[in-house]
Amino acid sequence: MWILGEGRRISSRVFFSALVIVASTSLLQLSASSDPIFYESFDKPFEGRWIVSEKEEYNGVWKHSMSEGHDDYGLLVSEKARKYAIVKELDEPVILKDKTIVLQYETRLQNGLECGGAYLKFLRPQEAGWVPRQFNNESPYSIMFGPDKCGVTNKVHFILKHKNPKTGEFVEHYMKTPPSIPSDKLTHVYSAILTPNNEIRILIDGEEKKKANFLSDEDFEPALVPSQTIPDPDEQKPEDWDERAKIPDPDARKPDDWDEDAPMEIEDEDAVKPEGWLDDEPEEIDDPDATKPEDWDDEEDGEWEAPKIDNPRCESAPGCGEWKKPTKMNPAYKGKWHAPLIDNPNYKGIWKPQQIPNPSYYELATPNFEPIAAVGIEIWTMQDGILFDNILIASDEKVAESYRLTSWKPKLEIEKEKQKAEDAAAGISDGLSGFQKKVFDVLYRVADLAFLSSYKSKLVDLIDNAEKQPNLTIGILFSVVVIIFTILLKIVFGGKKKVDKVTTQTQTQTSNSAAEEASNDHGGIEKEENEKEDATAPRRRSRRDN
């Protein structure tokens, strides 16, 4: 609520309605000079305007549905574990060359997103070989843009399908290190801005998350412009080429006193049994309070045995049961002998074929963008509740900004107010919640770093688990730092096994902590009841065959 003069109050809904009116007026003034090229608000049913694919595998049902908590309609993915495909042809193809083009749309993951896509495809003209009612994964597109998450994938895709001017072949070029998907169930707006100077900028909620150049080999994989030289494919490494920088010393000999069979640990002969050790007491005893259930059938269930409990007499003693001398490190242990390494006198370095001119090389002043003739959604998802809305193609960044202000911003503020109220009811402070969101955004960006690519799946799983337990944010942050540090050690010094072990231990400890916290916070009563049942439940024995 907002406070006005003389004690009057105005609700957030009324405030944002007023904001929409003001912003709409600005939009009308702007539109007079720069209208959008294409705009779909889904205020009206999509039937008759959008074409649903008739391909058999695309059996997901699209629905014209209101966004949860709003009076605003969108295009809804209504079923889980389905393939969806729908397309809308433009009145005129959009030419992408020599001008600014903004591709923008809203999506809301109302039930979250564990595995699935929420991206758009901007298709080439039908002359390229496709028909709307047969729209599928093979339909030729110019640009694919939007969120995609499953397994190690967690990114806002931007893929350009570009025609090689020499071969005429169309190749998919992926933006390197794209931004991660916002990890919540709020409405977000995604913008891709293509400019005449070959730049592409990705905005999420109006904030620039990625800037790249189409002609830079550092920004796209594979690069749009191939390298001028390539390794000679016909050149072979000579058979006598030695790439070993170090070799075992051929003159070294194992010392006579080197015992490779000596064990790593030996019994500590100096150890003495602690005073008070209870040799005749078992560590566990039958629970004296346990009774055989009335419905226990020895014929069906086997002979009943009381469950075991810790022996209370052992609690005050140093130990129970048979005492054995502990082990200690064997001072004579040396392990398997290896000859020391020396510089290889025949070392020639790492062999590489010579570079030759690349026959596929070409120069490119600007990408060979294909026109956009239709907007399509072709996805496979395990989630329902994905809502698409306010799809826009514009030639003016200010038009796109105005649509964000009028169509997206008011909805987001209402959703944030609702979330704030839910967090308050759950006892989560605004400051901590905001801090956590920033932390998780940073963690996902860290997981996208190139040098961590081999470990991305582990990091993403760790971060995903942490999001479900926000009270563990600091612990997860520390764990990720430890993992990154160990990876850096591996890169510098080697030792993959050691790093993997540390990483696995850290993940296991963190996952266990998360599980314990979840049990304490949300399942305390259930956990207590289960413990009672476990304590009284007898251990069943398998029946012996006669």
Side-chain angles (χ1 to χ4, degrees), residues 114 149 151 154 444 459-468:
E114 292 296 328
K149 180 179 181 181
N154 182 348
Y444 277 118
L459 289 171
V460 169
D461 287 344
L462 186 62
I463 299 168
D464 282 346
N465 289 333
E467 280 192 286
K468 299 171 185 177

Side-chain angles (χ1 to χ4, degrees), residues 216-469:
S216 171
D217 59 1
E218 295 181 357
D219 292 334
F220 281 87
E221 177 64 36
L224 271 71
V225 179
S227 60
Q228 295 189 42
T229 62
I230 59 171
D232 186 349
D234 298 325
E235 190 176 5
Q236 302 295 324
K237 181 173 71 173
E239 293 183 1
D240 62 347
W241 191 282
D242 196 336
E243 295 182 324
R244 299 172 300 164
K246 299 280 186 179
I247 60 171
D249 185 353
D251 298 325
R253 296 291 181 267
K254 182 175 72 173
D256 293 336
D257 62 348
W258 191 290
D259 184 1
E260 293 185 326
D261 297 325
M264 183 182 296
E265 292 184 339
I266 58 175
E267 189 177 81
D268 186 357
E269 297 294 341
D270 297 329
V272 178
K273 181 171 67 175
E275 186 177 350
W277 187 280
L278 305 179
D279 297 85
D280 299 327
E281 288 289 342
E283 293 182 1
E284 290 186 334
I285 61 171
D286 291 342
D287 185 353
D289 298 327
T291 57
K292 180 178 178 181
E294 294 180 0
D295 61 348
W296 186 274
D297 188 331
D298 290 339
E299 290 292 330
E300 293 295 329
D301 302 323
E303 182 182 351
W304 181 82
E305 291 182 353
K308 298 289 185 181
I309 62 171
D310 291 336
N311 188 343
R313 295 183 180 178
C314 298
E315 292 181 1
S316 57
C320 289
E322 181 184 359
W323 181 82
K324 294 181 179 180
K325 291 185 177 183
T327 60
K328 65 178 182 179
M329 287 297 299
N330 182 4
Y333 173 74
K334 295 184 178 181
K336 188 171 180 61
W337 181 84
H338 297 279
L341 297 178
I342 62 172
D343 291 336
N344 182 2
N346 298 319
Y347 176 65
K348 295 183 178 180
I350 303 300
W351 182 85
K352 293 180 181 179
Q354 66 176 343
Q355 296 286 313
I356 62 173
N358 184 359
S360 300
Y361 172 74
Y362 55 82
E363 294 184 357
L364 197 64
T366 186
N368 296 317
F369 293 115
E370 291 292 312
I372 294 174
V375 178
I377 306 174
E378 185 275 318
I379 58 174
W380 174 87
T381 179
M382 295 300 293
Q383 258 67 48
D384 58 357
I386 301 175
L387 192 79
F388 296 88
D389 200 5
N390 296 310
I391 301 174
L392 170 74
I393 302 177
S395 58
D396 192 327
E397 292 186 46
K398 292 183 179 180
V399 171
E401 182 181 3
S402 295
Y403 274 88
R404 289 196 299 268
L405 177 63
T406 58
S407 65
W408 165 74
K409 189 68 172 178
K411 285 190 291 187
L412 179 70
E413 294 300 335
I414 291 173
E415 292 164 14
K416 288 169 68 176
E417 286 293 324
K418 180 182 178 183
Q419 181 174 292
K420 188 184 297 183
E422 292 174 350
D423 289 345
I428 303 175
S429 68
D430 294 344
L432 182 58
S433 177
F435 164 75
Q436 288 166 340
K437 290 190 66 176
K438 292 179 180 178
V439 167
F440 286 121
D441 285 343
V442 170
L443 291 179
Y444 277 118
R445 292 184 189 181
V446 169
D448 282 333
L449 293 177
F451 80 94
L452 296 175
S453 58
S454 300
Y455 302 87
K456 182 174 180 180
S457 60
K458 294 180 180 179
L459 289 171
V460 169
D461 287 344
L462 186 62
I463 299 168
D464 282 346
N465 289 333
E467 280 192 286
K468 299 171 185 177
Q469 299 295 320

Side-chain angles (χ1 to χ4, degrees), residues 112-132:
L113 185 63
E114 292 296 328
C115 187
Y119 44 79
L120 302 187
K121 288 185 175 181
F122 298 88
L123 292 100
R124 292 157 52 195
Q126 291 186 43
E127 289 77 6
W130 69 282
V131 292

Side-chain angles (χ1 to χ4, degrees), residues 46-47 52-53 55-65 74-86 379 381 383-388:
F46 63 87
E47 292 87 349
V52 177
S53 176
K55 298 285 282 187
E56 183 178 355
E57 64 266 33
Y58 295 97
N59 55 1
V61 178
W62 294 100
K63 288 188 177 180
H64 183 237
S65 177
L75 183 64
L76 180 69
V77 170
S78 66
E79 298 176 295
K80 299 179 179 180
R82 292 286 189 272
K83 286 185 176 182
Y84 293 80
I86 192 170
I379 58 174
T381 179
Q383 258 67 48
D384 58 357
I386 301 175
L387 192 79
F388 296 88

